[in-house]
Amino acid sequence: MTQEDYFTHVKTGLGSKFQFPEDKPEENLDSTLKALWYLASGNPKSAQEASFLPLPKLNNDQVNLLNSLIEKRLKNIPLAHITGRQNFMGIEMKVDERALIPRKETEILGQKALRLSNIISCKNE
């Protein structure tokens, strides 16, 4: 079975078992499974970054790890806390369970703050 076939097999088996936060539009079945897949391969990525990348190959030990990571996510542990990665304003950040995972609205606030800081900076020159 190819990596893509196995991905499809796992995805089909999961169906609607995952619960996705409404405020995390970048997290869906494909991106979540790909992020967990990348973590199992030893190359952690956020859901947002993993969604654009091809699947890496997994050996048998990594497939077993993938299955345990899927079980963690099924227990509603936030994906970013499992992968240790969160994309925020285009920056791939390392996170752990101590981090509050930013919502999309936080990015809007951050962009507004950057625009305001540029306006203030230009006025002071």
Side-chain angles (χ1 to χ4, degrees), residues 14-54:
L14 289 172
S16 62
K17 293 180 182 177
F18 280 137
Q19 295 178 9
F20 299 104
E22 290 181 23
D23 61 347
K24 305 292 288 164
E26 72 278 6
E27 289 184 28
N28 55 48
L29 185 54
D30 279 355
S31 66
T32 296
L33 185 53
K34 281 183 108 176
L36 296 174
W37 194 287
Y38 267 89
L39 180 59
S41 78
N43 190 11
K45 305 278 183 210
S46 68
Q48 189 170 343
E49 186 170 330
S51 65
F52 297 106
L53 300 171

Side-chain angles (χ1 to χ4, degrees), residues 1-15:
M1 183 179 290
T2 68
Q3 298 292 304
E4 289 76 17
D5 290 340
Y6 186 66
F7 181 87
T8 302
H9 171 75
V10 172
K11 188 171 102 170
T12 302
L14 289 172

